[in-house]
Amino acid sequence: MAALNALLLDTATPPIPEAQAWLRAYDGAFGQPINLSQAVPGDPPPAAFLERLAEAGGSAEAARYGDILGDPALREAHAAESSTLYGAVISASDVAITAGCNQAFFVAVMAIARAGDAILLPAPWYFNHKMTLDMLGIEARPLPLKAEDGFLPDWRAAEALIDRRVKAVVIVSPNNPTGAVTPPEELASFFRLCRQRGIRLILDETYRDFLGETGGRPHDLFAMDEWRDTLVSLYSFSKAHAIPGHRIGAITAAPEFLAEVGKVLDCVQISAPRTAQLALPWAIAELRPWREAMRQRIGARIEAFRAALQPHAEWRIDQIGAYFAYLRHPFDGVPAVEVAERLARERGVLTLPGSYFGPGQESHLRVAFANVGEEIIAGLGPRFAGLAG
């Protein structure tokens, strides 16, 4: 048999399908199975948006190729919304539309680094980020995040890891898998570090619409002088608008950077899916109240999860935010995958083991609760209680 790409063979397989198999062995003893493994919106888009999507999908325009960097109307709408959010001037020429935020990361990395280079990746990491770097032959150099520090990145620790091979630092805020939100002042320190060292700061803001109790401005980086020389911001329309199946993301960066990104996009997709691109400019402007209600509902689910676990102190919430809780299990020395599998098979609750998110994570499980209602979350306590080690 002819050989295959060794880099791809050495890349981990997608972990969620493996985990979902555990739930199929559950016998129903504790009620209906609860899938908390994947970061997916639990609420459908509002009816008015679905109607717009249907109308767009039935149009001749949706069947045609679009611009490589995205439909002008969506680029303008996203730039205007971002300008308002960040209190800065962001233009449509600073925006490229991609087929989801995973593609945004992939093409941004290809524009920054090549095989043999290195990128600092916070650990625990989002496993698709690690898989992307592995298959491209780029070293994923871990930037360790510690439970005692709330799993927040430290720019000083990053500085010590940067050498000539490092081309970028990645920050995910709010974080996947932990939910941690990097403070604006720390992001500013990372920006200054990257600018001083002549490397890029890749800031994945997929979950920016689910910040804290009041939402608000995530950071002031777009107000920094010459931000376009350093910052590459990634975004997903999927979570905020509950349309993950439409695969729409965005990159905000310098037009010169996006010109290089366009070369990659032209080879892998040509243009992002048109249906959602045609409908989203309306949704960005008109669904602000709905998005705010969604943010509040996610906040209520966070509090419901805290309350459900509160009587079971042996399970410790080390961090929680946006879609995620990062939960320390009570079984010292037991691999996280074994705990997650038993929780799925015996109690019907599917979470992901910390080991899926990098080394040193055997004590944790990631819980993604955005796809279930508060009443389901409120009933989780008995399922965790008494699980054998």
Side-chain angles (χ1 to χ4, degrees), residues 12-79:
T13 56
I16 290 179
E18 175 189 16
Q20 288 173 338
W22 305 334
L23 203 57
R24 291 194 287 270
Y26 171 58
D27 63 6
F30 283 78
Q32 291 296 314
I34 303 172
N35 189 336
L36 305 176
S37 67
Q38 193 166 21
V40 58
D43 299 272
F49 189 26
L50 290 173
E51 291 171 5
R52 294 269 177 164
L53 288 166
E55 180 181 353
S59 69
E61 182 60 31
R64 299 188 180 103
Y65 283 130
D67 290 355
I68 293 171
L69 294 181
D71 286 10
L74 179 53
R75 295 174 70 190
E76 290 170 4
H78 183 59

Side-chain angles (χ1 to χ4, degrees), residues 223-234:
M224 297 279 196
D225 292 338
E226 300 179 1
W227 67 264
R228 293 171 180 84
D229 292 342
T230 302
L231 182 61
V232 178
S233 176
L234 313 181

Side-chain angles (χ1 to χ4, degrees), residues 183-193 201 219-221 224:
E185 59 272 17
E186 190 69 18
L187 289 175
S189 294
F190 269 99
F191 177 90
R192 287 189 289 266
L193 170 64
L201 174 61
H219 56 77
D220 296 309
L221 299 186
M224 297 279 196

Side-chain angles (χ1 to χ4, degrees), residues 4-23:
L4 297 175
N5 182 346
L7 292 174
L8 196 59
L9 291 172
D10 290 340
T11 298
T13 56
I16 290 179
E18 175 189 16
Q20 288 173 338
W22 305 334
L23 203 57

Side-chain angles (χ1 to χ4, degrees), residues 39-204:
V40 58
D43 299 272
F49 189 26
L50 290 173
E51 291 171 5
R52 294 269 177 164
L53 288 166
E55 180 181 353
S59 69
E61 182 60 31
R64 299 188 180 103
Y65 283 130
D67 290 355
I68 293 171
L69 294 181
D71 286 10
L74 179 53
R75 295 174 70 190
E76 290 170 4
H78 183 59
E81 184 75 4
S82 297
S83 295
T84 299
L85 175 64
Y86 295 108
V89 178
I90 300 169
S91 69
S93 63
D94 298 318
V95 173
I97 304 302
T98 61
C101 199
N102 272 358
Q103 188 186 73
F105 181 81
F106 198 103
V107 299
V109 164
M110 286 195 71
I112 291 169
R114 59 184 178 181
D117 289 336
I119 288 178
L120 291 194
L121 199 61
W125 47 55
Y126 173 44
F127 45 73
N128 282 148
H129 287 174
K130 176 63 161 56
M131 292 169 66
T132 294
L133 298 182
D134 287 347
M135 67 179 64
L136 292 174
I138 299 168
E139 178 194 349
R141 188 168 298 179
L143 173 59
L145 309 180
K146 302 176 182 179
E148 56 267 30
D149 297 329
F151 292 102
L152 293 171
D154 182 347
W155 71 270
R156 296 174 186 83
E159 183 177 32
L161 295 171
I162 295 173
D163 58 21
R164 291 182 179 180
R165 292 179 54 222
V166 172
K167 305 302 180 184
V169 177
V170 175
I171 300 292
V172 183
S173 181
N175 185 263
N176 179 4
T178 68
V181 177
T182 304
E185 59 272 17
E186 190 69 18
L187 289 175
S189 294
F190 269 99
F191 177 90
R192 287 189 289 266
L193 170 64
C194 290
R195 184 174 177 183
Q196 179 185 16
R197 302 299 290 267
I199 63 177
R200 302 280 176 171
L201 174 61
I202 302 175
L203 179 58
D204 186 331

